[in-house]
Amino acid sequence: MSARPPRSPTPVPFPATHQNIRHDSAPLHVAGTARYVDDMPEPPGLLHVALGQSAKAHARILSIDLSAVRAYPGVVAVVTSADIPGVNDVGPVVADDPIFAETLVEYVGQSLFAVAAETRIAARAAARLAKITYEELPAIITIADARAADSHVLPPKRVERGDPLGTLATAPYRLTGHLAMGGQDHFYLEGQISMAIPGEDGDMHILCSTQHPSEVQHLVARALGRPDNHVVVEVRRMGGGFGGKETQASLFAAAASLVADRTGRPAKLRLDRDDDMVMTGKRHDFEVAYDVGFDADGRILALDLTLESRCGMSTDLSGAINDRAVFHADNCYFLPNIRITSYRYKTHTVSNTAFRGFGGPQGMLAIEGVVDDIAHHLGRDPLAVRRANLYGGPGRDLTPYGMKVEDFIADSLLDRLESSSAYQARRTAIAAFNAASPVLKRGIACTPVKFGISFTTSFLNQAGALIQVYTDGSVLLNHGGTEMGQGLYTKVAQVVADVFGIGLDRVRITATRTDKVPNTSATAASAGADLNGMASFNAARTIRDRLSTFIAGRWGVEPSALSFAHGKVTAGEHAIRFDDLVRQAYLARISLSATGFYATPKIDVDKETLIGRPFYYFAYGAAVSEVVIDTLTGETKLLAVDILHDCGSSLNPVLDRGQVEGAYVQGMGWLILEELVFDAAGRLCTHAPSTYKIPGCGDIPDHFKVDLVTQPNREETIHRSKAVGEPPFMLAISAYHAIKAAVAAAGGSGPVTLDAPATPERVLMAVRARQSGTGV
Ligand code: MTE
Ligand code: MOS
């Protein structure tokens, strides 16, 4: 590892905003010099921590004998619930996530104690030597188990409008159906990790791979029994988070900190892949049931939709995630008479958590399934039925939760994509191919996306920033957002460079730290750039205003006459280099640092009824996917993908394109490849890449065309951009429906029942069911 990667002499474009600027860490990633927590030089005396895990899904702990653990060579300390000075909990919303189980275990892999040793191997080996006796209790593993046992983490919620049941009874057509969709492991390249370094007088400094440094700070402080101002959490970057580090880093940060606090030595806890998959929550799997009434065009008149989710053993973010599923169960479609009921089941499995889309994909897959089934029932082009149901104009612009859709562009995206992808011509060609091909069948599908931007928990929509300008004119930027590969740091730096009119190379991006910007929200809900971009813009404007007042006074001009551009400040014939201005301002005793703050306007939603305006705006997209399936093996191959995605006035088109491509591929993994299997005892059988298949390069189609729509956001976001992190994930719903279309071409008629993920087994079963006319 070379100490310093060569800086490439890429010209710095000005203004930086809206330009294709590479990710600030790209050269370091390529050179292998980007530091993740495990790359940090290890402090002297570092201890390595491993966790003892429950072997049972639901059991009373009768005894724990840790003598063999303590006696293992190299072991320095063992920490159990009895050793926690503060609160034994890291629940982010509800206090139901013990750090170490006391008398009850509720999932296989639940943490029981921490062991600290001189080496990681010793800690891991010692952790396995605990002798635990359990009294097993009946375990609720599946959604069906939870439904039967009436087991919930939170009470059900319902959104209802019009007369769904009455209209269903009189609708010209009526169809019922069901759909199960699996969960998804985050499979971030960097697993969960924390290194806790004890300071003087009870201080703790934690390097942590988390999307939510402030929450980790708060929960660790609470566990240590200290005020928040003793704990600093620092995150330079994550090797991916995808929602999996929104709440679930806290357990590991707490365990490392408890060890560090007790021993006075630094302590690091890094999970290996298997432990990470077993011990951390995943995307919620859902079961969906529907009863829909519609007319001969497939236009929905009434819908009664039930969403059931497996939340796992604790509440975590399941409330907000299931709310978001409800908020996306309309997708782009006007549902005049609608009842949506959402069940949040408690099971004895790991607590499920945020994952890109945060319930949105599940709600959207549900309604897309309904619309697709209607189309197959009527024997019509699914795209025509989708069109017939789109939001549009007065009388058809109100969501089930009462928010008016004012910025709808899905109709025009579908029009553009239908022609640019040659959808109709390809449909005809596919029909001809299928007629001549007995074994291989092709399918194509086009689906739209409408995704609401803002945390539905309204108070989270706030952000802060701290900007420092040094006397050489260089700028240090800090804000509450975290970098997980999405390019947030680069985007925010672009915004700040432009406020000062300086090159991006003059703005230094620094690690997110709770002692620089306090009380931040998680970097989540795709709102990172919206929130932190605006807070940083405000901080930079504060400093620029001070500089303007100062230099305008010297020059005897109005501050509004000044221009900050190309590293200079000018007004008429006056000009000064930005660095010189800063130095003069310093000598004139003008403050060169400022904080900035931003809170999203206009949003307001009732958290019980879910009625209101949860979102500031919507981001839109549309995709056409084409697949081929082998009706003898159930294998599928994605042949071609065409995407049109709405980024508003993109802050950085090349980064946004990366987000769209990555999100589509990750969504395709969820719906086609990645299968989580728990056995009857609640053990996760798919806990390594050997048994859990994420997309690889070979799964990306040869034709993968992404076009960005860059029309300005109608709302006043930072430079009129739109959030992009999650919305394109749901473009992959088109791939799943393309498989359904191919299955339909294998024979039979009517809706295709195919649960997700559409693995070869499921595709084969769906094909066989249609060919034998049994239905699934
Ligand atoms: N992109 C990369 N490369 N790595 C990630 O972990 N997380 C996604 C998305 N894109 C993620 C990513 C998720 S779940 C969210 S909410 C957003 O990025 C968060 O970042 P943003 O708010 O800055 O878009
Ligand atoms: Mo993303 S699931 O909101 O971290």
Side-chain angles (χ1 to χ4, degrees), residues 211 240-243 355-357 484-486 488 523-529 659 724-726:
Q211 294 170 240
F242 305 111
F355 195 143
R356 207 168 194 170
M484 58 196 98
Q486 83 277 41
L488 174 67
T523 306
S526 305
Q659 286 291 291
V724 69
E726 296 165 287

Side-chain angles (χ1 to χ4, degrees), residues 447-729:
T447 58
V449 166
K450 163 179 135 291
F451 192 78
I453 303 301
S454 293
F455 287 96
T456 60
T457 305
S458 299
F459 76 84
L460 296 174
N461 294 286
Q462 55 172 308
L466 171 66
I467 293 181
Q468 288 149 227
V469 181
Y470 293 97
T471 52
D472 66 351
S474 65
V475 175
L476 196 69
L477 167 60
N478 203 276
H479 54 77
T482 57
E483 177 62 51
M484 58 196 98
Q486 83 277 41
L488 174 67
Y489 278 12
T490 308
K491 286 183 172 181
V492 178
Q494 289 171 256
V495 168
V496 169
D498 287 353
V499 172
F500 292 123
I502 57 177
L504 191 57
D505 54 340
R506 299 295 284 158
V507 180
R508 183 85 186 140
I509 296 166
T510 58
T512 309
R513 290 177 62 119
T514 55
D515 56 350
K516 287 209 167 175
V517 178
N519 312 325
T520 55
S521 295
T523 306
S526 305
D530 283 15
L531 296 172
N532 297 286
M534 204 59 113
S536 301
F537 179 82
N538 290 338
R541 284 295 294 253
T542 300
I543 300 174
R544 193 180 85 173
D545 286 349
R546 289 182 203 142
L547 293 171
S548 295
T549 309
F550 163 70
I551 195 70
R554 284 222 171 151
W555 289 345
V557 300
E558 283 301 313
S560 60
L562 297 172
S563 147
F564 285 70
H566 298 289
K568 286 198 300 266
V569 182
T570 52
E573 71 279 16
H574 300 287
I576 185 168
R577 283 164 47 101
F578 180 77
D579 327 2
D580 294 335
L581 170 58
V582 165
R583 209 154 15 243
Q584 291 193 19
Y586 165 74
L587 295 173
R589 295 183 292 173
I590 287 167
S591 162
L592 293 171
S593 73
T595 59
F597 186 76
Y598 176 70
T600 311
K602 295 190 180 177
I603 47 178
D604 182 25
V605 63
D606 183 307
K607 63 183 210 293
E608 293 312 318
T609 64
L610 302 185
I611 301 299
R613 178 174 180 168
F615 307 118
Y616 189 26
Y617 64 91
F618 296 101
Y620 296 90
V624 171
S625 296
E626 183 178 340
V627 302
V628 60
I629 68 169
D630 182 328
T631 57
L632 295 179
T633 63
E635 281 171 282
T636 60
K637 182 161 173 58
L638 190 54
L639 298 174
V641 176
D642 292 85
I643 288 172
L644 200 51
H645 194 82
D646 161 34
C647 301
S649 274
S650 171
L651 290 173
N652 186 329
V654 75
L655 291 183
D656 285 357
R657 178 180 301 272
Q659 286 291 291
V660 175
E661 291 173 356
Y664 178 95
V665 172
Q666 195 170 41
M668 183 265 283
W670 171 49
L671 289 171
I672 300 181
L673 299 171
E674 300 175 40
E675 188 173 28
L676 291 165
V677 179
F678 288 89
D679 69 11
R683 286 178 300 227
L684 179 64
C685 306
T686 48
H687 51 77
S690 51
T691 44
Y692 186 79
K693 172 77 180 81
I694 63 167
C697 305
D699 298 305
I700 296 168
D702 293 338
H703 175 92
F704 192 17
K705 184 163 176 284
V706 174
D707 287 314
L708 304 183
V709 180
T710 56
Q711 70 199 49
N713 194 339
R714 72 195 294 279
E715 300 297 345
E716 291 180 354
T717 50
I718 183 74
H719 298 307
R720 302 276 176 175
S721 60
K722 283 195 179 184
V724 69
E726 296 165 287
F729 182 91

